[in-house]
Amino acid sequence: MSAASDALILFANEAFYAAFASGDPVAMNDVWARKATLACLHPGADPLFDRDDIMESWGQILTGSPPPVTCRQPRIVSRAGVALVVCYEAIGEGGLVATNGFVLEEGRWRMVLHQGGPCETVPAADAQSEISARPN
Amino acid sequence: MSAASDALILFANEAFYAAFASGDPVAMNDVWARKATLACLHPGADPLFDRDDIMESWGQILTGSPPPVTCRQPRIVSRAGVALVVCYEAIGEGGLVATNGFVLEEGRWRMVLHQGGPCETVPAADAQSEISARPN
């Protein structure tokens, strides 16, 4: 797959973190696929498969003060049907590691999978590897 | 995709837990893809992408006394290029939740992704939903 296609996958991943960091439930709703089967695994919670349940969970997370999350070192590990991106989620001094999955729906990559979980260490910010998820 | 195809995906998922529960590094090596890009996210550890590093991590986990892990409520959430299965991993009274990814290599589904992480509650064993990962 071309570098341009990879850029679109990473753009979709970035859009997820932009919605996450900005606490914008409308943007978060826009990120997720409309028709595909979904799964969302928040750390310490039971997996969610119903789209409404997933959006409700994000609504609860984003209400109030969403964490200042940034994506670090995103790496595309699959482009076959489902695009899979593994990345760190830097939050303050700590953070998580996540697997994010995307499918093409009407020409646009939309999220079908998110699993965040604990990791050992979140790498330091690196201008080359970090995608700021903060909106301008 | 047909029910027969789904059965093959779940069989690959079951083979992973059979290798895990039996502490068999040769079987674990056989489960993972040979050519595809891989990612393995053990809870609390940094993500691994190199096949040798992934196999070494499993070698360490499987050495000694592997946990009596069983797979519960496996659910196929994607069949497009990468097959994704979300399931609980019951271990003793607790356990984890996992996303497992598989690709077809030479006609056989092989693992390309594993992320295990904490969940709220592991559902009780259910004859209809549980796949025993213990070898006969």
Side-chain angles (χ1 to χ4, degrees):
Chain A
M1 197 170 280
S2 70
S5 300
D6 280 4
L8 291 175
I9 292 169
L10 293 175
F11 180 82
N13 193 62
E14 184 177 7
F16 166 69
Y17 287 103
F20 193 169
S22 64
D24 184 343
V26 175
M28 183 58 81
N29 181 66
D30 191 55
V31 162
W32 285 78
R34 272 72 177 132
K35 299 172 185 170
T37 302
L38 307 180
C40 184
L41 292 74
H42 296 297
D46 288 330
L48 303 173
F49 302 101
D50 178 79
R51 197 179 197 287
D52 290 343
D53 290 343
I54 292 170
M55 289 308 121
E56 185 181 337
S57 75
W58 283 110
Q60 293 171 353
I61 291 168
L62 301 179
T63 298
S65 53
V69 62
T70 55
C71 171
R72 288 185 186 162
Q73 300 187 356
R75 181 190 289 237
I76 299 172
V77 296
S78 166
R79 302 166 180 83
V82 177
L84 294 173
V85 179
V86 170
C87 60
Y88 289 96
E89 299 180 340
I91 304 173
E93 296 298 307
L96 301 166
V97 66
T99 302
N100 299 320
F102 304 88
V103 297
L104 272 176
E105 278 192 352
E106 298 172 359
R108 183 178 148 188
W109 292 99
R110 289 193 191 259
M111 182 167 267
V112 294
L113 171 74
H114 169 71
Q115 180 172 11
C119 61
E120 188 171 352
T121 52
V122 175
D126 176 331
Q128 287 193 303
S129 70
E130 181 158 359
I131 290 178
S132 170
R134 290 197 164 285
N136 293 321
Chain B
M1 199 170 279
S2 69
S5 300
D6 279 4
L8 291 175
I9 293 170
L10 294 174
F11 180 81
N13 194 61
E14 184 176 9
F16 166 69
Y17 288 103
F20 193 169
S22 64
D24 183 344
V26 175
M28 183 59 80
N29 181 66
D30 190 54
V31 161
W32 286 78
R34 270 73 178 132
K35 299 173 186 171
T37 302
L38 308 179
C40 185
L41 291 76
H42 297 298
D46 290 330
L48 302 174
F49 301 101
D50 178 78
R51 196 180 198 286
D52 289 343
D53 290 344
I54 292 170
M55 287 309 120
E56 184 181 336
S57 75
W58 282 111
Q60 291 171 355
I61 291 169
L62 301 179
T63 298
S65 53
V69 61
T70 55
C71 171
R72 288 185 188 164
Q73 299 187 356
R75 181 189 289 237
I76 299 172
V77 296
S78 166
R79 302 166 179 83
V82 178
L84 294 173
V85 179
V86 171
C87 60
Y88 290 94
E89 299 180 340
I91 303 173
E93 295 298 307
L96 301 166
V97 65
T99 302
N100 298 320
F102 304 88
V103 297
L104 272 177
E105 278 192 350
E106 299 173 357
R108 182 177 149 188
W109 291 99
R110 290 193 191 258
M111 182 166 269
V112 293
L113 171 74
H114 169 71
Q115 180 172 11
C119 61
E120 188 171 353
T121 51
V122 175
D126 176 332
Q128 287 192 301
S129 71
E130 181 158 359
I131 290 178
S132 170
R134 291 197 162 284
N136 291 321

